[in-house]
Structure formats: structure tokens, C-alpha cells
Amino acid sequence: MKAMFNKIAIVLSVICVIAFASPAIVMSAQSLDDLSSGSNDNSGSDSDNNSISDYLQNYNPVTKDNMEQAGAIASPIVNALGTLSGFIVMIASAGIFVVTALDLVYIGMPFTRSFLNPKYGAQMGGASPMGGMGMGGMGMGMHRGYGGMGAMGAMGGGAQQAPEQGMRRQWVSDEAEYCVNFAQRQDLMSSGGVAPIGGMPQQTQPTSTKSVILMYLKKRAFFLVIFSVCVVVLMSSLFTDCGLNLAELISKVMNKIGNQISSLEV
């Protein structure tokens, strides 16, 4: 009897479960429909978001037509600037030869140096061989062993600054200025009473103009060679073409990487 009641209770429980579960299944089916419709709505929003990327894909802000129109408009200005660049290069080339001629005058005619270079004499401290010997003579008069005082006197005399002279403009090149100053320093050291230890001051011959101009020839020739190379290379499109080729290579590599990324599926 008890077993029969248990069977009846199980059957009633199954009937109750079926009765209450049917509406839930219907509601779940409706919710799945809502989800599917919602997914369709989201796909529409995704397409709206992709519209920006689709617009920017392969976007080129400057087209060939734009460059042709810009070239037609800017052609007079570009031609004028090209003419100006050529004019400047011609003036610079001619001016370099003028300065070279002044350099030869500066080296070969010492009386023109104060006019062609206002710093002439100031860089040497206004010291002359006789001026450098002042303290040296005193040192030698006090004691013969104080020959080193002559060098100190010469260096002390060279510390004085001389006022600038001439046209207040440097009309010579740095090469000519360096060669003349180098020769004067050599002459000043040779005549300034500089003596070895335990010996008398050594007197050497002043630097000749021949040695100065040979030094200038080497430095000036090197400058002219480098100047010519710079004019030919920098005023041409050699480096520009090299840069464009590198840019095209980088563009090809980036396009290949981009195509590989776009083909990936996640």
C-alpha cells in the first residue's frame, strides 16, 4: 500500500514539473529570439564602426591631380627660387676666387695685413720679437743662468691685447690667417730668447714666405676640393633620390606586413 502511494506521488510530481516547465521553455525561446535580433542590431553598429576604417583604408591626402594643379600654380615661384639658388652658387664660387687672390696679397705683402684682417696683431697679443726680449734682457743681465726668464718675458709680452686695425672686416680666408699666424708664432719663439737647459738662447731664421705659401697651398687646395664636392652633391637630387628610394622600400615592407595582418583570423 505504501509503495502504491509512492508511485502516485512520483506521477503527480512529474505532472507538476511538466506543467510549470512549459511556460519557462516558451519564455526562453522568446528570449533567444530577442538575443538573435539583438545580435543582428549589433552587427549593424559594427558596420557603422567599420565605416571609418573603410574610409581611411588606402586614403591618400595628396593625389596626382593635386600635385599637377599645385605644380602649375607654384611653377613661377619654383623657377624663381631655382634661379636664385644658381645665382647664389655663382656668386659664392666667384667670391672664393676673389678671396684667394686677397689671400695671396695678405701672405706676400705684409703691409696689407692690418687692412685685410682686423684681427692681425691682436691674435699675437701685439707682441714683437723686440717686445718679447724686454724681460729676457733683464733676466740675462741679472744672472747668466736665468736664461729661462727670457721665455717668460716673451710669453708675458704676448699676453697683451692689441686693438683691431684696418677695415673692421676680415677679407682673407681662415687658411691664410692661420698660416700667417703660425709663421709669426714660430718666428716669435725663435727670437724670444728661448734657450735649452744650460745653454744660450738659440736664434733661428724667420719663417720664409715660401714655406707660408706652401702651407697655404695645401690647406686652400683641400678647401676648394671639398667645396666643389659639396656644390655638386648637395645642389643635386642625389641624396633626395636616395631618400625617396628608402621611403618606397619602407612603404613596401609596411604594406606587406599590413596585408599579412589583415589576412589573420582570430
Side-chain angles (χ1 to χ4, degrees):
M1 193 69 181
K2 185 177 180 181
M4 185 179 64
F5 283 128
N6 290 333
K7 292 179 180 180
I8 294 172
I10 292 172
V11 171
L12 292 175
S13 299
V14 172
I15 293 172
C16 292
V17 169
I18 294 173
F20 287 103
S22 298
I25 294 172
V26 173
M27 292 297 295
S28 63
Q30 293 177 354
S31 63
L32 289 175
D33 293 337
D34 294 337
L35 289 175
S36 63
S37 63
S39 63
N40 293 331
D41 294 338
N42 290 330
S43 64
S45 61
D46 291 338
S47 63
D48 292 337
N49 292 331
N50 292 333
S51 63
I52 297 176
S53 61
D54 293 339
Y55 174 75
L56 294 177
Q57 188 73 25
N58 297 324
Y59 175 72
N60 190 5
V62 181
T63 63
K64 184 178 180 180
D65 295 335
N66 297 143
M67 290 302 298
E68 290 178 355
Q69 294 177 2
I73 296 173
S75 179
I77 301 175
V78 172
N79 292 332
L81 293 177
T83 303
L84 179 62
S85 300
F87 175 77
I88 293 174
V89 171
M90 292 177 64
I91 293 297
S93 301
I96 285 175
F97 289 103
V98 172
V99 172
T100 302
L102 292 176
D103 290 345
L104 297 177
V105 174
Y106 182 75
I107 295 172
M109 298 180 175
F111 62 89
T112 63
R113 294 174 181 174
S114 61
F115 297 97
L116 296 177
N117 184 14
K119 294 182 292 184
Y120 177 76
Q123 295 179 348
M124 296 301 298
S128 62
M130 294 299 296
M133 288 293 292
M135 291 293 294
M138 293 180 61
M140 291 297 294
M142 291 175 61
H143 194 277
R144 186 174 180 179
Y146 286 86
M149 291 292 292
M152 296 178 63
M155 297 299 292
Q160 299 177 357
Q161 295 293 331
E164 294 183 353
Q165 301 175 357
M167 301 180 182
R168 305 292 178 180
R169 293 289 185 275
Q170 181 174 335
W171 298 93
V172 295
S173 66
D174 295 335
E175 292 83 5
E177 182 184 12
Y178 172 82
C179 293
V180 171
N181 291 338
F182 180 81
Q184 287 185 341
R185 283 193 296 268
Q186 294 295 323
D187 294 342
L188 183 61
M189 292 177 62
S190 64
S191 60
V194 180
I197 298 176
M200 293 295 293
Q202 293 181 346
Q203 299 292 334
T204 59
Q205 296 294 329
T207 306
S208 63
T209 305
K210 180 180 179 181
S211 60
V212 176
I213 204 167
L214 284 176
M215 183 189 304
Y216 169 76
L217 176 62
K218 298 176 183 178
K219 291 183 174 295
R220 194 60 173 175
F222 180 77
F223 166 77
L224 292 175
V225 171
I226 298 300
F227 175 80
S228 301
V229 172
C230 290
V231 170
V232 173
V233 174
L234 297 179
M235 297 302 295
S236 66
S237 62
L238 180 62
F239 289 109
T240 305
D241 295 339
C242 181
L244 291 175
N245 293 331
L246 290 176
E248 291 180 357
L249 177 61
I250 294 174
S251 178
K252 292 178 181 179
V253 172
M254 295 303 296
N255 287 332
K256 186 174 182 179
I257 294 174
N259 292 332
Q260 292 179 354
I261 292 174
S262 62
S263 62
L264 293 176
E265 294 182 359
V266 181

